[in-house]
Amino acid sequence: MNHDTPHPQTDPRITAYALGELPETEKKEIEDLLLQHPEFQAELDEIRQLGTLLTEALEHEPILETGKMPLPLRKKRRILPLLTVAASFLLLLAGGIFFLTHPFGGEEPGSVYLSQLPHSPCISETSDPQNEETTAFDAVAFDQKENGVSEDVLEIMENAMPVPAEGENPDVEMAEEFLREETVATPPAAPMPNVHTAEKQKNAVALKAGGQTSSNVLAKERRSMESFSRRMNPPNIVIPPPILPEKPAPVENHNSYTAREENGFQNPAEVPFSTFGIDVDTASYTVARQYLTEQKVLPPPEAIRVEEFLQYFDYDFPQPQPEEKCPIATTVEIHPHPWQDGLLMAQVSLQGRKIPQEKRPPMNLVFLLDVSGSMSDWNKLPLVKDGMMKLLEQLTENDRVAIVTYADDAKMHLPSTSGSERQTLEKAILQLHASGSTAGSRGLELAYETARKNFNKEAVNRIIFCSDGDFNVGRTDNDELEKQIAREAKSGIFLTVLGFGMGNYHDDRLKILASHGNGNYGYVDSRSEAQRLLCDEFCGTLLTIAKDVKLQIEFNPQHVAAYRLIGFEHRKLEDRDFHNDRKDSGDMGAGHSVTALYELVPHGVAVPDGGNVDTPRYAAVEKEQGKEPSPEVQPTTTRETSPEWMFVKLRYKLPEEKESSLVEIPFPYHPESKTEPGRNFRLATSVALFALLLRQSEYTANAHWDTVQKLLAEVSPKNTKEQELEKLVKLAQEFD
């Protein structure tokens, strides 16, 4: 790098730009510099976060309640705003100097702790763990030269001191405690005194205390502070102490999820159809991964959606034939249940047609970005920007990108721009920063307005919504948002929802938006996940090959006594909605796969949650070979039965169509064949059991974490995702 190039450590204008204090006339020069040196962006983000930390810390400064009080105290209250402003300026200045004089790198963005900030007398830090007398708090003595307190500040403090009554000797200890309190409220700009200086100050305290030293002085100081507080604070006035933690408090859990009752076993004679919309979302798996790897705890059971675990992994299902109109290939197989003796497991799989990058249609994209204050953490807006930068690499001159942001209100950050204008797009991304409240519903309105304005019937029209789901301005009720997004979805514009962050994460809201907005839903917990969703699976995430995809499976009661669909509780449909083209359902992207698992109970086997199921009075059932059914399930009549166990029906619409098409697949099964399950079946059932254990499902029988590990051992060879899964299973076992 040229030595003449300004750098965040040497050019104060860059720091002023990061804190929003640079004049408009100088902003363009700095922005051009950032385009030339994108490596500075991470440093700017850390400077902004440091400013946020300081602002939050100063919010804890005490505020006096109104009420009648002595004149000297009213004088003190009048100067507190001035002292607070002075303290804010000194802290910010000292923090900026500290930050700029330390080398960058080696840490994740945003890993700045209060313990790394310049020392302040407000924060106690023991220099010698064995000697209580050398704490930083004790070093705040009464010698103005040693403390570095200016004479102007001391004069203000002196004027604000309580005036003793005539003939009364001033209370030396009270004055000293008052000075200490004001010094704490207004930290000196000078560096912290070393141990020798602190010792001199303690000697001064000891001398004024009548020659006492050590713990006697500490005790006397505490008593003096209590005495002064009683004298200065009438009963109707409360002055809480400032709260400045030495390290960040642990992330509070204000995350929200929607719990759904788990599917139970159904009698096919009474409930012959199982109807649901497909789901290609993967958010639940990456949310669980974040809990296990970052927070070191098991995820909450309500955060687990088994189908999203299944869809995260890669399977080798057959592709649809090129000459076929239907862009989806369907396969079915049945094998013995992996962890429940006597039961069977059916796998119904869909594979979407893959479309090469060079053959994809143009993209008309609108990024809807949450830039409110809640997105300031390193794993929120910085990850959004990183993912957007990666996505730019996939765009061509035929694609267009607009950026809508929202905080206190929604605004157009970047009008629709050609994908070839790389510098303009990068500059718009680099200018993003987080602050303010969260007007999410208004942001959705403006994003759809923008997408409709630039609608291209020859292109894929899609909104990419990035947020933690925290809406606190405007429409915030989930039911109202569901109606809003359902109306917008009729415009023919698809939606991709990407969630970020943790601690105040609203999974329930983002799931609703994706489900009712003709879209898919992912959670980004790392740069690699942003890479996967926006680059590696670019076409699958953004290019829809079929919409309103529905499955309806009918089970033959002559063979199946009971069945249970694993997962998809959020996607269940009424049987009559299968043929209703006005009923919205899930969409499928290019190359995406969907797998669904059913637990099947043959006749003569007890149902796990309810004993034996009675045989329908008017349904003929053939005896199982080599087995005698129990007396409770004896058929009333017998006849030759059909070999079909299942009848699979698939409905879908091509993206440009309004009427659905139907595919029907009868599936015969011969238990005596005893075919070995393939890799796809072994992987899917291993993943499903892992999710069921995390969910604390009642349908895991005697299975445990070791069972998952045993099933995964039979999946070979293993790719990166499957190797990671093995590690997550071990973590879950450790935290259980």
Side-chain angles (χ1 to χ4, degrees):
M1 185 174 63
N2 192 323
H3 291 290
D4 297 332
T5 301
H7 190 275
Q9 296 185 8
T10 59
D11 193 336
R13 295 178 303 158
I14 299 182
T15 303
Y17 175 81
L19 299 176
E21 299 174 354
L22 192 67
E24 293 291 335
T25 54
E26 300 184 39
K27 280 186 178 180
K28 186 178 186 307
E29 181 180 349
I30 299 301
E31 290 169 355
D32 292 340
L33 174 66
L34 293 176
L35 290 176
Q36 299 172 14
H37 302 279
E39 67 272 14
F40 291 170
Q41 183 61 35
E43 302 177 9
L44 288 180
D45 291 339
E46 293 186 4
I47 293 174
R48 288 194 178 109
Q49 185 175 7
L50 178 61
T52 302
L53 287 173
L54 293 169
T55 302
E56 293 174 352
L58 291 172
E59 287 178 353
H60 297 289
E61 286 298 312
I63 300 176
L64 295 177
E65 296 184 3
T66 58
K68 189 175 181 180
M69 63 187 74
L71 177 61
L73 191 55
R74 292 202 297 272
K75 290 182 180 179
K76 176 183 176 183
R77 187 179 66 173
R78 286 195 298 270
I79 68 166
L80 277 177
L82 296 175
L83 293 175
T84 302
V85 171
S88 302
F89 175 79
L90 291 174
L91 276 175
L92 191 58
L93 179 61
I97 294 173
F98 173 84
F99 191 80
L100 294 176
T101 55
H102 282 66
F104 294 94
E107 295 181 355
E108 287 292 328
S111 56
V112 181
Y113 294 87
L114 289 179
S115 58
Q116 296 174 304
L117 299 179
H119 287 289
S120 165
C122 301
I123 305 175
S124 176
E125 180 179 337
T126 304
S127 302
D128 181 1
Q130 305 300 323
N131 186 358
E132 183 183 351
E133 296 178 355
T134 61
T135 60
F137 182 85
D138 295 339
V140 183
F142 312 107
D143 188 333
Q144 66 181 53
K145 294 182 180 179
E146 293 290 346
N147 273 317
V149 181
S150 68
E151 295 182 359
D152 293 339
V153 174
L154 286 172
E155 182 179 355
I156 295 175
M157 294 178 181
E158 183 179 356
N159 292 336
M161 284 288 293
V163 180
E166 184 176 355
E168 179 183 351
N169 293 326
D171 190 329
V172 175
E173 291 182 355
M174 189 171 89
E176 292 173 348
E177 294 303 330
F178 182 84
L179 182 56
R180 179 186 289 107
E181 179 182 288
E182 294 299 343
T183 306
V184 169
T186 311
M192 276 296 300
N194 57 29
V195 177
H196 297 291
T197 303
E199 190 64 28
K200 291 172 61 180
Q201 294 169 341
K202 288 196 303 173
N203 290 338
V205 173
L207 182 62
K208 294 183 180 182
Q212 301 182 42
T213 59
S214 184
S215 58
N216 292 335
V217 175
L218 295 175
K220 189 174 183 65
E221 288 177 357
R222 295 190 187 100
R223 289 194 301 271
S224 180
M225 292 175 70
E226 294 172 0
S227 173
F228 178 71
S229 178
R230 287 193 299 269
R231 294 189 184 189
M232 295 298 297
N233 298 321
N236 63 330
I237 299 176
V238 178
I239 307 178
I243 301 174
L244 291 177
E246 295 185 12
K247 60 182 179 180
V251 176
E252 295 186 19
N253 186 359
H254 297 296
N255 307 317
S256 56
Y257 307 92
T258 299
R260 296 291 178 94
E261 184 178 355
E262 199 168 10
N263 294 328
F265 280 95
Q266 302 290 339
N267 183 343
E270 299 174 357
V271 186
F273 301 113
S274 172
T275 309
F276 61 97
I278 63 102
D279 195 329
V280 296
D281 299 343
T282 60
S284 181
Y285 176 80
T286 45
V287 165
R289 181 175 66 191
Q290 202 276 346
Y291 275 99
L292 291 169
T293 59
E294 296 295 328
Q295 301 190 39
K296 309 298 183 184
V297 295
L298 291 175
E302 60 270 20
I304 305 302
R305 294 183 288 272
V306 182
E307 67 276 11
E308 295 184 21
F309 276 60
L310 290 170
Q311 311 328 332
Y312 185 84
F313 292 87
D314 303 319
Y315 304 92
D316 187 22
F317 298 133
Q319 281 281 317
Q321 296 300 316
E323 66 275 7
E324 293 179 352
K325 174 191 174 184
C326 181
I328 303 171
T330 306
T331 57
V332 183
E333 53 185 305
I334 298 179
H335 298 285
H337 199 293
W339 65 85
Q340 288 224 63
D341 293 337
L343 272 61
L344 300 172
M345 184 80 80
Q347 182 180 22
V348 180
S349 306
L350 307 179
Q351 177 62 57
R353 179 175 287 138
K354 295 180 180 179
I355 297 180
Q357 170 77 2
E358 61 272 12
K359 293 185 178 181
R360 69 168 177 83
M363 297 284 180
N364 179 31
L365 305 177
V366 177
F367 274 95
L368 173 58
L369 306 181
D370 180 353
V371 294
S372 63
S374 66
M375 291 290 289
S376 61
D377 295 340
W378 74 267
N379 58 353
K380 294 185 180 181
L381 188 57
L383 278 185
V384 173
K385 295 161 71 173
D386 186 74
M388 291 179 67
M389 286 292 193
K390 289 182 170 65
L391 177 63
L392 295 184
E393 300 171 2
Q394 308 291 321
L395 302 180
T396 69
E397 60 183 6
N398 298 322
D399 304 314
R400 299 194 69 82
V401 176
I403 300 177
V404 173
T405 61
Y406 68 88
D408 298 320
D409 196 4
K411 70 176 183 178
M412 178 65 66
H413 183 73
L414 177 72
S416 185
T417 304
S418 171
S420 62
E421 298 185 32
R422 184 70 175 269
Q423 188 173 15
T424 301
L425 294 169
E426 288 181 345
K427 179 178 178 180
I429 295 171
L430 290 172
Q431 288 175 332
L432 296 168
H433 66 278
S435 64
S437 53
T438 316
S441 61
R442 175 57 188 144
L444 287 168
E445 293 173 1
L446 183 55
Y448 275 99
E449 289 174 11
T450 304
R452 286 193 295 269
K453 179 180 178 181
N454 300 284
F455 191 88
N456 180 1
K457 63 180 181 179
E458 303 297 330
V460 174
N461 299 275
R462 181 175 291 272
I463 294 171
I464 303 176
F465 178 33
C466 302
S467 173
D468 59 6
D470 182 20
F471 292 8
N472 53 32
V473 174
R475 189 179 291 112
T476 60
D477 180 75
N478 284 351
D479 291 337
E480 293 181 1
L481 289 168
E482 178 180 334
K483 295 176 183 177
Q484 175 188 354
I485 205 70
R487 290 193 301 268
E488 300 284 10
K490 296 177 182 178
S491 61
I493 298 166
F494 296 97
L495 177 69
T496 291
V497 177
L498 300 180
F500 293 82
M502 193 57 63
N504 192 35
Y505 185 67
H506 294 264
D507 171 87
D508 53 347
R509 181 170 296 145
L510 297 181
K511 181 67 176 178
I512 287 174
L513 295 176
S515 298
H516 295 273
N518 287 337
N520 45 41
Y521 173 33
Y523 175 79
V524 179
D525 61 341
S526 62
R527 297 183 68 194
S528 60
E529 188 64 19
Q531 169 86 22
R532 183 185 77 85
L533 289 172
L534 294 175
C535 294
D536 301 342
E537 300 180 7
F538 177 80
C539 285
T541 301
L542 303 181
L543 178 56
T544 299
I545 60 171
K547 62 183 181 180
D548 293 339
V549 182
K550 307 171 187 175
L551 276 170
Q552 187 173 79
I553 291 92
E554 181 180 358
F555 294 92
N556 186 350
Q558 297 172 346
H559 297 296
V560 180
Y563 67 88
R564 187 180 89 86
L565 173 61
I566 299 178
F568 291 93
E569 289 87 359
H570 291 253
R571 291 288 190 175
K572 289 195 298 185
L573 297 172
E574 298 292 336
D575 293 339
R576 62 179 178 271
D577 290 333
F578 180 72
H579 297 287
N580 182 2
D581 285 346
R582 292 177 297 178
K583 184 66 176 179
D584 185 57
S585 187
D587 302 327
M588 198 161 185
H592 274 169
S593 62
V594 174
T595 188
L597 298 174
Y598 282 92
E599 294 181 296
L600 305 181
V601 181
H603 286 286
V605 178
V607 178
D609 66 344
N612 289 327
V613 174
D614 291 340
T615 300
R617 180 177 179 83
Y618 302 104
V621 178
E622 186 179 23
K623 295 182 179 181
E624 292 183 78
Q625 294 184 2
K627 279 189 178 182
E628 285 292 330
S630 62
E632 293 82 5
V633 295
Q634 283 287 350
T636 55
T637 60
T638 61
R639 64 178 175 83
E640 184 177 351
T641 61
S642 167
E644 293 179 9
W645 280 55
M646 303 165 61
F647 190 66
V648 179
K649 293 179 286 186
L650 170 71
R651 276 203 175 274
Y652 70 95
K653 298 175 188 173
L654 295 178
E656 67 276 6
E657 294 180 347
K658 294 184 178 180
E659 294 184 0
S660 64
S661 300
L662 176 64
V663 176
E664 297 178 326
I665 305 172
F667 182 76
Y669 173 62
H670 304 281
E672 65 277 7
S673 63
K674 297 182 179 179
T675 57
E676 286 294 321
R679 188 180 188 279
N680 291 330
F681 183 87
R682 295 181 189 277
L683 174 60
T685 53
S686 302
V687 172
L689 179 57
F690 176 52
L692 289 172
L693 289 171
L694 289 175
R695 181 172 176 158
Q696 301 177 13
S697 169
E698 62 179 295
Y699 297 102
T700 56
N702 296 321
H704 43 75
W705 307 111
D706 291 337
T707 310
V708 182
Q709 294 173 353
K710 182 179 178 181
L711 294 175
L712 279 174
E714 300 175 358
V715 179
S716 180
K718 294 181 177 61
N719 57 32
T720 303
K721 290 182 179 179
E722 294 151 12
Q723 292 171 358
E724 177 191 69
L725 176 60
E726 288 182 316
K727 296 178 182 178
L728 295 182
V729 174
K730 292 179 181 178
L731 286 175
Q733 185 174 21
E734 177 184 342
F735 301 148
D736 191 4

